Amino acid sequence: MEPQLRHTVTDGVATVVIDHPAKRNAMTEDMWRRVPPLLAELAADPAVRTVVLTGEGGTFCAGADISSLRGSAQTAQDLAVRAEEALAAFPKPTLAVVRGYCVGGGCQLAAACDLRFADEDASFGITPAKLGIVYSASSTRRLVSLVGPATAKYLLFSGELIDAERALRTGLVDEVLPSGGFDKRVAEFARTLASRSRLTQAAAKEFAAGHTGREAYWRDQAHGSGETAEGVAAFLERRQPRFTWHVQAD
């Protein structure tokens, strides 16, 4: 089967699968190119409330397909950064679900997600120093914001892999789960994300990224959309809220 990105949408959760098992789900140039338009499609779909990114089988993503670097390493890196930036800018919650290796460009994608859950046997590494590649400034800043400068330097300088527990301690992942309960926890949490107010999530995502110039806009959205009124009413009536606000297409 050709390397591809597959996706399904069920109950508000879009699951995007990196599917290239012959090379541990390494990303080809075509796969990198597919990421931004796929995310634009999912962002515009009101049925999609959250995105789960994962890999086929027992590996998340082993990075870029090295054979594609023989043509132009810079072109491949530029494509990876565009994919990463599109994922970071996605207006709905994103969750990376990591099994096995999450290395190089795979770690780039995981870091660009809002949250990361890892299987207890997962391994993480960022390996440009093994190839003589300059890691992009935006990717480096995103890594530093997650793990701090010391751990970012450790990962970038050495290219060594760290296990899931160390990734949890440094802030690279949010939860580490045993294999036996992994799928159940991911499904439950994805459903939780999909059930919450998209308005709250979109505003929080914007503020967390450091963009604070639209506070009045978000207050107006909360008031005009009726999201706050619905949330309060549902709480008082002891029922699940029915949030209807959705991300506006650009």
Side-chain angles (χ1 to χ4, degrees):
M1 185 177 292
E2 289 295 313
Q4 61 178 320
L5 295 177
R6 297 186 285 105
H7 79 280
T8 57
V9 180
T10 304
D11 296 331
V13 179
T15 302
V16 177
V17 181
I18 304 168
D19 188 356
H20 189 188
K23 293 194 175 181
R24 290 181 173 174
N25 295 331
M27 294 283 289
T28 65
E29 289 189 2
D30 285 344
M31 292 168 76
W32 287 122
R33 287 191 179 93
R34 174 65 178 139
V35 173
L38 173 58
L39 291 175
E41 175 186 333
L42 296 177
D45 186 348
V48 174
R49 302 180 72 100
T50 190
V51 165
V52 170
L53 177 66
T54 192
E56 174 64 25
T59 298
F60 181 74
C61 174
D65 186 342
I66 300 300
S67 63
S68 69
L69 301 182
R70 292 184 176 180
S72 171
Q74 188 60 54
T75 297
Q77 187 181 22
D78 289 346
L79 290 170
V81 170
R82 288 188 202 117
E84 175 192 0
E85 292 298 327
L87 187 53
F90 189 75
K92 305 171 187 180
T94 54
L95 172 65
V97 174
V98 179
R99 296 177 180 83
Y101 289 107
C102 178
V103 180
C107 209
Q108 247 179 296
L109 291 174
C113 289
D114 296 311
L115 300 164
R116 287 150 294 282
F117 283 9
D119 182 274
E120 60 189 350
D121 295 324
S123 298
F124 298 81
I126 302 174
T127 54
K130 292 184 176 182
L131 299 169
I133 294 172
V134 175
Y135 205 52
S136 77
S138 61
S139 304
T140 301
R141 286 193 298 269
R142 183 166 291 112
L143 180 65
V144 169
S145 72
L146 283 176
V147 303
T151 299
K153 289 174 184 177
Y154 177 91
L155 292 168
L156 288 167
F157 291 2
S158 71
E160 292 189 351
L161 302 185
I162 62 173
D163 63 18
E165 286 300 329
R166 183 168 181 179
L168 179 65
R169 290 198 307 272
T170 60
L172 186 57
V173 301
D174 300 285
E175 290 191 20
V176 172
L177 302 159
S179 298
F182 193 64
D183 291 339
K184 181 180 178 182
R185 171 59 179 156
V186 167
E188 288 175 347
F189 189 72
R191 286 195 297 269
T192 295
L193 291 178
S195 73
R196 303 308 192 212
S197 168
R198 284 174 285 191
L199 185 146
T200 301
Q201 292 167 340
K205 188 162 183 170
E206 186 173 298
F207 295 160
H211 308 305
T212 57
R214 296 205 303 165
E215 292 183 64
Y217 166 82
W218 288 112
R219 283 196 300 269
D220 290 344
Q221 287 289 306
H223 177 73
S225 66
E227 289 283 278
T228 302
E230 167 60 16
V232 171
F235 177 83
L236 295 174
E237 295 165 15
R238 298 184 179 181
R239 60 172 174 81
Q240 288 296 315
R242 295 181 290 272
F243 294 121
T244 58
W245 185 93
H246 58 85
V247 175
Q248 305 299 312
D250 292 333

